[in-house]
Amino acid sequence: MNTAGHPEAMERRGLELTPFRGLRYDPDRVGSLAAVTSPPYDVVVRPDGLLHLESADPHNIVRLILPQADTPSSRNEQAARTLHRWLSDGVLTADPEPGLYVYEQHDGNGMLQRGIIGALRVTEPSEGLVLPHEDVMPHVVADRAALMRATSANLEPLLLTYRGNGTAADTTAVIERTVESPPLLSTTTEDGFSHRLWSITDPADMAGIRSDLTRHQALIADGHHRWATYRRLRAEHSSPSPWDYGLVLLVDTARYPLRVRAIHRLLHGLSVPDALASLDGLFRVRRLEVPLPEALEALADAACASNAYLLAGDGAFHLVDQPDQALLARTVPADRPAAWRTLDATVLHATLLAHVWHIPEDDPTRIAYIHDTAATVTKAERDGGTAVLMHPVREDVVRDLARQGVTMPRKSTSFGPKPASGLVLRALDL
């Protein structure tokens, strides 16, 4: 039975956030803290972004989260050897006592995010405590699980959100008092975001946070595959064990709202002319000879009235909207809420990918999921494929569906800003 949204499910046990001894870079052993950080593994645009990060510093965290070798097993073995070497050399060191961590991101333009990093008890969706809103791809979960087994570590935190009452109470009170003190680290990454980290080791503060969070449920904002990996690894070990918990960043979006952006698709082996030809009579198609920002504005306007997408890859943008209703009736499953059936991602996957273009959503040789809009267009133009640009979904739609126990098509949303990888890690054997 799905207990999402049922108060009794939360009162029975609730979110359990526990302290841990964080692994952090010794700033004296690396070029700079900014040079060893990375976006989350699935945001790194390979190979360009990977090479850029690897060349930034020989100890960049990307060598752990995206190790490079000829086979999956050798990649994971390499990551484990690298982690062990960095620990032996003192490049990474463990904090002296367990704690929770306050993490702040600021872009200088009004975007301020603060939250708590800790080890969260891993739960099943049926418990209604950590709510997924997207499906996952089994091969990605298998890949992340193999890496975590090899390294025996949580290398980067997931991003989870919860809704407080909007005031500086409970957990937020501890956060806002903590940020008045000097941070453990402070750095600014090349995207312009400043990052600061503090530790919370006071027993009263940690107890207050733990008590507060037992009253909340969390939404997975970013990290569905890693949360599914935590669940798989917990099931492989006898409880109690360190695998009962996984590294997360929890943000109260009533106090610190996140941005919700779209994740775009890059279709390999399908040219724009072929993609458009197959839409004749099924969707309205309009060619836009405008720059990307104006094309995205047109997409936003069109998305207010119907499902809408931008196709790119041939030097222009093509606005695709107003799908044939009979087509939708034939292809979109009818056993879900209307809010799910009308999602752009639902129509894209059920109608366009599965029915019109015949592209399997799980086949990495046919489709890629890319967060950066311009990069998606550039890659499509370079490779002769088709970029499908999406309009973002509102957070309230995501949360409402999650509370109903309804998952969205995979890679439907991109919440941000995402935590930088490399600021604090969790070793399972500490």
Side-chain angles (χ1 to χ4, degrees), residues 292-353:
L292 178 58
E294 293 181 32
L296 292 173
E297 290 178 7
L299 173 62
D301 291 340
C304 294
S306 76
N307 300 112
Y309 315 89
L310 274 180
L311 270 57
D314 63 347
F317 296 101
H318 306 269
L319 183 60
V320 174
D321 66 351
Q322 296 190 9
D324 176 72
Q325 293 303 304
L327 172 68
L328 298 184
R330 293 195 308 270
T331 57
V332 176
D335 60 347
R336 304 286 184 90
W340 181 89
R341 297 196 307 271
T342 56
L343 288 169
D344 289 336
T346 296
V347 173
L348 172 64
H349 284 248
T351 303
L352 287 169
L353 293 180

Side-chain angles (χ1 to χ4, degrees), residues 53-291:
L53 290 165
E54 285 183 332
S55 62
D57 189 283
H59 301 107
N60 189 283
I61 191 68
V62 79
R63 297 180 186 275
L64 299 182
I65 63 175
L66 286 174
Q68 298 301 295
D70 292 335
T71 66
S73 60
S74 58
R75 286 197 296 269
N76 297 327
E77 291 166 3
Q78 177 176 291
R81 289 195 301 270
T82 300
L83 177 59
H84 183 266
R85 184 173 68 252
W86 290 357
L87 289 169
S88 298
D89 294 347
V91 174
L92 286 170
T93 59
D95 284 332
E97 57 183 316
L100 301 174
Y101 295 83
V102 172
Y103 176 48
E104 176 190 273
Q105 291 167 278
H106 195 322
D107 69 353
N109 295 311
M111 182 71 210
L112 175 65
Q113 178 173 292
R114 290 173 177 157
I116 295 285
I117 294 176
L120 185 70
R121 182 176 68 90
V122 178
T123 59
E124 295 298 313
S126 61
E127 296 180 61
L129 296 173
V130 177
L131 307 178
H133 69 269
E134 291 182 357
D135 294 330
V136 297
M137 292 176 272
H139 73 275
V140 178
V141 176
D143 174 75
R144 290 295 100 185
L147 178 62
M148 287 191 204
R149 287 190 205 100
T151 58
S152 192
N154 299 152
L155 300 173
E156 47 185 347
L158 286 65
L159 175 60
L160 306 185
T161 73
Y162 68 98
R163 298 288 291 181
N165 59 15
T167 64
D170 302 314
T171 299
T172 304
V174 177
I175 290 174
E176 297 187 357
R177 182 172 68 252
T178 300
V179 299
E180 295 300 317
S181 61
L184 291 175
L185 65 85
S186 178
T187 190
T188 300
T189 46
E190 62 182 11
D191 58 3
F193 270 90
S194 64
H195 307 260
R196 297 198 294 172
L197 192 77
W198 296 258
S199 65
I200 299 174
T201 56
D202 179 78
D205 284 342
M206 290 192 289
I209 291 171
R210 287 175 59 110
S211 175
D212 175 34
L213 292 177
T214 60
R215 300 194 294 267
H216 296 287
Q217 60 183 176
L219 175 72
I220 303 176
D222 186 68
H224 283 80
H225 290 91
R226 283 166 286 165
W227 184 256
T229 300
Y230 290 168
R231 289 170 48 210
R232 175 180 292 191
L233 294 173
R234 182 195 62 171
E236 294 175 359
H237 296 80
S238 298
S239 186
S241 84
W243 298 96
D244 291 342
Y245 297 84
L247 187 63
V248 305
L249 166 64
L250 273 166
V251 175
D252 177 1
T253 55
R255 188 71 173 174
Y256 298 105
L258 273 67
R259 294 184 302 221
V260 186
R261 292 177 171 169
I263 301 176
H264 310 295
R265 277 68 171 159
L266 175 61
L267 310 182
H268 305 299
L270 178 66
S271 69
V272 173
D274 288 345
L276 294 174
S278 61
L279 300 180
D280 187 35
L282 302 178
F283 284 76
R284 182 174 68 169
V285 179
R286 289 173 285 168
R287 183 183 179 94
L288 306 178
E289 296 283 358
V290 297

